[in-house]
Every structure is written in structure tokens, then in C-alpha cells.
Amino acid sequence: MPIDPNAPITITAYDWVPDFAKGQVRDLRVRWALEEVRQDYAVRILPQGGQKEAAHRALQPFGQVPTYEEGDLTLFESGAIVWHIAERFPGLMPEDPAGRARSLEWLFAALNTVEPPIMDYAIATLFEAGEPWSAPRLPSVEARITERLDEASARLGDADWFTGRFTAGDLMMVSVLRIIEGPELLAPYPNLVAYLARGADRPAFGQALADQMSGFTGSPPPGFDEWMAEQKASTGVMT
């Protein structure tokens, strides 16, 4: 669906992020959900730093993106927004109560069980890569990720989707697993690799990703290039 500045739904997104974060910022999850349910939306683009200003904090108290506005309703947190979209519009939710509950179950599993150790890995290898505590933490972080991937792979088995058909739960699980797509952490799980490919092959995902990428037209905040150079020099792992 086209981005429409006059659409009744407005989300927020950044105008710039580091290269390693492009395609990962969580407004992508909301864009994808809106594409799946075929709803136009507008985007309020924030320069880096703008998310910490009072006007945005009135919508998102933690100074992050995305937010969702529709009429008198304002939401923050990508999981809550995706769930609202799935409830509000047909396409991402089974009609039977049990199917809806299973979709919610996997949405929460993605955010509360699978994502935390994956984000710990990102913190240790990217955001705090130059700190002395990062390298010693990596083995335990990787062990936790491996445990979760073992469990997720075993549950998925030969199925296409965790919930029988593609739902909001799978949208969120694909979004979370994409954070480690490519590295050796995911390679031992061919069914999860195929699962991610199925998610990425959905036209709604492709459109959402293209639209997010096209919005990155801004410049890095002062001091970012120096910080990046320090991280590279101290670890050699950032690209």
C-alpha cells in the first residue's frame, strides 16, 4: 500500500540510523503489519535526537520509535501496535478464539523469550563492542541464543509457520530472528533459515522494507563517525 500523507494512520520513523541498523528499526514491524492488512499510512520522519524531544516523548515516553496514531488513539511499543493492527483489520488474525490466542502466544514468545538474548548479542558485538566486559559475556550470550534456537527449531519442525497460517505471531517471530540472519548462529537450523526466507518473500514485507530504507535520507549525529571508528579499532568486528 502506498505511503499517504493524508492517511488516517500515522507512524514515526528515523531519518538516519547506522548501516548495521537499516532494515532492523522496529517501525519496519509496524509497516509490515499495515502492508499485510492493506492499510495506507503516513510517516512522520524524525531526525536523530528528535525522538528525545518533549513533543515525541508525549507519544513515546521512552524516546523511541515507532509510535502509532489513529484518531484519538496513540500507541507505542511495536508489539502492542502490531497486535492492535491485527485486531483492528482482517488479515493477520485467525477468526477462532483458539487461533487468536496462539497468534498472541507466539507474538509474546518472539518479544519476551527469543529477542532478549539476541539483543544482548547485538549489544555485546555492536553497541558496547569496545567495552572490556563485552568479549567475556559473548560465550554465555551465544549459549542462551543457541538454546532458544534449538527450541524454536524443534517446535517449528517441517511446518511453514508457527501458528499454522501466517499471523501476527509469525510476523513478529520473523522480525526478531532477522536480527541474526546470516551469522553462524542461525546456519545450523535450516528450517528456521527457510522460515525467514518465507517471511521475506511475502510482498508485504518487501514493500515495508523498501519504504523504510527509502526514508533514510538524514545525516549521522555529531560524534557518531568518531565513535564508530573507536569501536572498529578496539574490536575489529564492526562493519
Side-chain angles (χ1 to χ4, degrees):
M1 304 300 290
I3 295 176
D4 179 358
N6 298 312
I9 296 170
T10 299
I11 70 168
T12 49
Y14 294 135
D15 74 342
W16 177 91
V17 294
D19 287 345
F20 61 76
K22 291 178 178 177
Q24 297 290 354
V25 186
R26 290 183 174 120
D27 63 281
L28 178 62
R29 304 172 183 185
V30 175
R31 293 174 187 264
W32 185 6
L34 288 167
E35 290 290 341
E36 290 283 355
V37 300
R38 302 183 61 79
Q39 293 298 309
D40 295 346
Y41 62 96
V43 184
R44 184 182 306 114
I45 299 292
L46 301 175
Q48 274 295 332
Q51 72 272 25
K52 303 300 184 182
E53 299 295 332
H56 185 69
R57 284 192 185 273
L59 306 175
Q60 216 294 0
F62 303 105
Q64 299 171 324
V65 301
T67 58
Y68 174 103
E69 298 167 73
E70 184 183 12
D72 294 333
L73 176 66
T74 299
L75 296 172
F76 63 93
E77 292 295 334
S78 61
I81 297 169
V82 168
W83 185 249
H84 170 73
I85 292 168
E87 290 275 13
R88 173 88 167 78
F89 306 104
L92 278 174
M93 190 75 68
E95 294 183 2
D96 63 295
R100 298 167 76 87
R102 282 191 291 270
S103 179
L104 178 60
E105 172 183 67
W106 281 100
L107 185 148
F108 276 109
L111 294 175
N112 291 351
T113 302
V114 178
E115 188 169 39
I118 290 175
M119 289 310 301
D120 281 347
Y121 183 84
I123 290 169
T125 59
L126 293 170
F127 302 108
E128 296 180 355
E131 301 296 341
W133 57 79
S134 291
R137 290 186 63 236
L138 272 178
S140 63
V141 171
E142 291 177 354
R144 290 198 302 274
I145 293 174
T146 297
E147 179 181 16
R148 293 307 183 207
L149 294 180
D150 284 344
E151 294 160 342
S153 176
R155 175 54 68 95
L156 181 64
D158 295 329
D160 285 344
W161 308 110
F162 281 104
T163 50
R165 49 152 285 196
F166 183 83
T167 70
D170 287 296
L171 184 151
M172 194 60 68
M173 187 63 76
V174 170
S175 298
V176 166
L177 290 176
R178 283 187 66 250
I179 301 171
I180 55 170
E181 186 174 15
E184 63 278 6
L185 289 170
L186 204 57
Y189 308 97
N191 65 334
L192 293 181
V193 173
Y195 174 73
L196 287 185
R198 281 191 291 276
D201 284 345
R202 295 182 70 83
F205 175 82
Q207 186 63 58
L209 180 62
D211 286 337
Q212 184 188 72
M213 297 296 285
S214 70
F216 295 131
T217 59
S219 301
F224 175 80
D225 290 339
E226 292 79 2
W227 176 83
M228 181 67 84
E230 290 174 2
Q231 297 299 306
K232 288 180 179 179
S234 62
T235 66
V237 300
M238 297 186 70
T239 59

